[in-house]
Amino acid sequence: MSFPSSPRWSGSDPASPVDEEERLRELGYQPVLARRMGGFGNFAISFSVISVLSGCMTLYGFGMNTGGPAVMMWGWLGVGLFVLCVGMALAEVTSAYPTSGALYYMADRLGGRKWGWYTGWLNLLGLLGAIAGIDYGAALFTGAFLHLQFGFDPTPGSTMIIFMIILLLHATLNLFGVKLVSVLNSISVWWHIAGVTLIVGVLAIVPKNHQSPEYVFTEFVNGTGWENPIYVAAIGLLLAQYTFSGYDASAHLSEETSNASVTAARGIVRAIWVSWIAGFALLAGLTFAIQDYAGAQNSETGVPPAQIMIDALGTGGASALLLVVIVAQLFCGNAEVAAASRMVFAFSRDNALPGSSLWRRVSAKTQTPVPAVWLSVAVPCLLALPSLYSTTAYGAVTAINVIGITPAYAIPIYLKLRAGDRFQPGPWTLGKWSKPIGWIAVVWVAIVTVLFLLPQSNPVTVDTMNYASVALVVVMTLATVWWFVARRTYGVPQPQSYGSAKEQAELADHIV
C-alpha cells in the first residue's frame, strides 16, 4: 500500500504542494473561508470528534447490557479494523475533492445530483445527531460530577439545562474563527492522550482488586431480553461504531486547511488508528477495574463508568477523573459543531437547505459561517428535547447519529468504485489496494446499517423502540419532498463555474 504525497493535478510541479486555492476554483468554488489550519489541526479535529473519552465512556453502560466485557473488547478491535478500511477509502476520495461539502460533493461529482442530494441529507442528519449525542452525554457526566461533589440531583430537567449551556458555549467558541477552533483541537489531542493514560494508569495501580483477563475478554452479559447471543453481540457493536464516527470532520474543514489534498486525507486515517489504540486501552482499564457489575449498571449517578471509578478509587479520585472526561467531551462537542457548521454552509452554498441564502453567509471579520454555527446548535437542542420525557431518548439520538452518518461514508466510496477509471485520484491514494479496501468498506457499512435499525431491547415498546429507523424515514421523506422544491436551484458547480467576475461578485454578497 503506497500513500504518495506528490500532487497529480495537470500542470503542477510534482515536488511542490498542491495550490489549494486554485484547486478549489478548479472544483467550482471561489475561496471565502480562511485557510489557517495546519495538518496537525486537521487530524486533531477528527480525533477530537471521535473522542474515545466521549463515545466509550458515554455508551459504556449500553455495552455492559448488550454483550458485556467480551463484546466491548473484541467488538472494539473488530469494528476498529473495518472502520479503518472505511476511513482509508474515504480519505482517497477526499484527496480528490477537498471541499467543505465533503461527502455530498463527492457523491454529486461521481454519481449525479440525486446521489449528492441524499448523501448530503444523511450526512447532515448524522452530524447534527452527533452534536446532540456528544453534548447531552457531556451534560450527563457533568450532572454525575456535580452529584458527587455537591449532592446535585441530575434530573432530566436539570440535565437539559446543562446541555443547553454547553451548546451555547460551543456556538460562542466557534464564532471566534477557525484559528481558535484549531488551537482548541490541538490541545484536545494531548488532553485525550494524557487523560486516557491517567485513567488507565490510576485504575491499574490504585484498586486492590482487578478482574481477570479471562473475565475481561470472555464474560458475556445479556440484559436486552433477546435470547440469541449472536443478535445481542451484533447490536452491542453500537458502542464501537458510534464512537468511530465523525472523522469526516477533516474533510469538512479542508477549505480551511493548508495542503488539504494530502493533510485532510491523512487526518482522517490518523484519527482512526490513534483512536483505535487509545479506545482499546480505555475500555480495558475500565473493565479490569470493575468491582460490582450490577452496582455500576444501576448507579445513582446515572453513569456506570463514574460508579466504577467510585468503587475503585473513592469519591475524590472518581471526581477528578470525571472532570478529565468532561473536559474531553467538551472538546469533542466543540469540534463537531465546527464540522457540522461547515456542512451547513456548504450545503446552503449549493442551495440545498430551506433558507440557504441565510445559512451560507460568512462573517467578513472572522471568515466564519456564523448563521450556520447557530443552526448547528439549535437543531441538536430540538433533537434532545424528548430526553425530558423518555429515558431511552438518548439512545435514540446516538442511533440517529450512526444511521445518518455511516451510510453517508459508503456512498462516495461505492460511487468511486463504480466509476472505475473515470475517477481521477488525488495526491493521497491507496494504489492497488483501492478496490479491495473500498469493497470491504462498502460491505461493512451495509451490514452495520442493517444492524443499527434493529430493535435493541425485548419486548419492543414505546420506551424501548429503536427510533433510528423512524428518524431515517422522516429525514428521507423530508429530503424527497424538498427535492421537488429545490431541484431547480440545487447543484454543485461544474469546474471553473465561478470564474466570471459577475459570479464572483454574487458570491461576495454572501460575506457579511
Side-chain angles (χ1 to χ4, degrees):
M1 183 183 311
S2 60
F3 304 145
S5 57
S6 59
R8 293 184 178 179
W9 314 125
S10 68
S12 63
D13 180 359
S16 63
V18 175
D19 182 342
E20 295 295 347
E21 302 291 56
E22 181 58 31
R23 177 57 185 158
L24 189 59
R25 293 185 182 94
E26 290 177 10
L27 293 174
Y29 294 113
Q30 182 70 14
V32 295
L33 301 176
R35 202 174 288 274
R36 297 171 181 166
M37 182 176 284
F40 185 82
N42 187 277
F43 147 75
I45 192 166
S46 282
F47 181 76
S48 297
V49 171
I50 292 175
S51 182
V52 295
L53 284 173
S54 178
C56 292
M57 301 293 279
T58 303
L59 281 181
Y60 191 86
F62 173 86
M64 294 179 79
N65 201 49
T66 52
V71 172
M72 284 193 283
M73 299 307 300
W74 292 110
W76 182 267
L77 290 176
V79 170
L81 180 61
F82 285 115
V83 169
L84 186 60
C85 290
V86 178
M88 288 191 292
L90 185 63
E92 186 174 43
V93 192
T94 298
S95 180
Y97 304 111
T99 71
S100 294
L103 309 181
Y104 87 85
Y105 180 88
M106 303 170 194
D108 192 297
R109 290 295 298 271
L110 292 169
R113 295 175 73 227
K114 281 194 174 181
W115 280 105
W117 178 267
Y118 285 103
T119 301
W121 280 97
L122 282 170
N123 192 196
L124 189 59
L125 168 70
L127 288 167
L128 296 175
I131 294 172
I134 293 163
D135 281 1
Y136 195 83
L140 288 171
F141 271 72
T142 302
F145 174 80
L146 295 174
H147 174 77
L148 290 178
Q149 288 296 102
F150 310 107
F152 175 80
D153 183 18
T155 64
S158 59
T159 301
M160 182 59 64
I161 292 173
I162 297 171
F163 168 65
M164 294 173 71
I165 292 172
I166 292 172
L167 286 175
L168 183 60
L169 170 66
H170 287 155
T172 303
L173 291 173
N174 271 272
L175 295 180
F176 282 100
V178 73
K179 185 64 175 178
L180 176 61
V181 172
S182 181
V183 170
L184 291 174
N185 289 331
S186 297
I187 296 172
S188 171
V189 171
W190 301 113
W191 185 275
H192 274 80
I193 293 174
V196 170
T197 303
L198 175 65
I199 291 170
V200 173
V202 170
L203 291 178
I205 296 171
V206 176
K208 294 181 180 179
N209 301 311
H210 289 90
Q211 300 293 340
S212 67
E214 181 182 5
Y215 178 90
V216 171
F217 291 99
T218 64
E219 182 69 15
F220 183 85
V221 178
N222 179 11
T224 64
W226 298 106
E227 295 183 0
N228 190 319
I230 297 177
Y231 182 89
V232 174
I235 60 176
L237 298 178
L238 177 60
L239 183 155
Q241 188 65 50
Y242 166 72
T243 304
F244 280 118
S245 63
Y247 44 86
D248 56 315
S250 289
H252 288 297
L253 272 292
S254 59
E255 289 184 33
E256 296 159 90
T257 301
S258 300
N259 197 23
S261 297
V262 174
T263 53
R266 286 177 176 168
I268 292 171
V269 177
R270 287 175 177 171
I272 294 171
W273 69 257
V274 173
S275 299
W276 192 18
I277 295 170
F280 183 79
L282 179 62
L283 289 174
L286 279 171
T287 309
F288 272 108
I290 292 174
Q291 308 294 310
D292 179 359
Y293 200 94
Q297 284 181 299
N298 302 305
S299 172
E300 290 183 0
T301 66
V303 180
Q307 192 61 49
I308 292 173
M309 294 175 183
I310 293 169
D311 295 341
L313 309 173
T315 302
S319 297
L321 294 187
L322 270 180
L323 195 57
V324 172
V325 173
I326 291 167
V327 173
Q329 291 173 332
L330 294 177
F331 278 128
C332 174
N334 190 65
E336 187 71 4
V337 169
S341 62
R342 271 50 176 191
M343 172 60 193
V344 170
F345 159 77
F347 218 26
S348 299
R349 180 172 58 181
D350 293 326
N351 296 306
L353 296 179
S356 287
S357 60
L358 171 62
W359 311 124
R360 65 179 173 233
R361 289 184 175 272
V362 176
S363 166
K365 181 178 181 181
T366 62
Q367 293 181 275
T368 298
V370 174
V373 170
W374 286 115
L375 185 65
S376 297
V377 296
V379 174
C381 186
L382 295 176
L383 287 176
L385 283 179
S387 298
L388 287 170
Y389 312 103
S390 171
T391 56
T392 60
Y394 179 70
V397 169
T398 60
I400 288 170
N401 168 29
V402 172
I403 203 61
I405 210 164
T406 305
Y409 290 155
I411 292 172
I413 298 171
Y414 164 73
L415 293 174
K416 179 205 71 172
L417 293 167
R418 193 182 71 167
D421 293 337
R422 290 191 296 109
F423 171 71
Q424 295 298 313
W428 195 101
T429 176
L430 294 168
K432 65 181 180 180
W433 292 95
S434 179
K435 287 185 178 180
I437 289 177
W439 281 116
I440 290 172
V442 170
V443 171
W444 171 250
V445 170
I447 291 172
V448 297
T449 299
V450 173
L451 287 179
F452 297 143
L453 289 172
L454 300 175
Q456 298 166 2
S457 300
N458 188 37
V460 179
T461 66
V462 172
D463 287 334
T464 62
M465 180 179 174
N466 180 358
Y467 288 95
S469 56
V470 177
L472 185 62
V473 170
V474 169
V475 169
M476 290 296 97
T477 301
L478 290 175
T480 301
V481 171
W482 190 249
W483 166 258
F484 290 101
V485 176
R487 60 182 174 174
R488 291 182 178 84
T489 57
Y490 162 74
V492 305
Q494 294 302 309
Q496 301 295 346
S497 66
Y498 277 104
S500 72
K502 178 182 177 181
E503 287 168 323
Q504 290 190 30
E506 290 174 351
L507 184 65
D509 289 340
H510 303 148
I511 305 177
V512 294

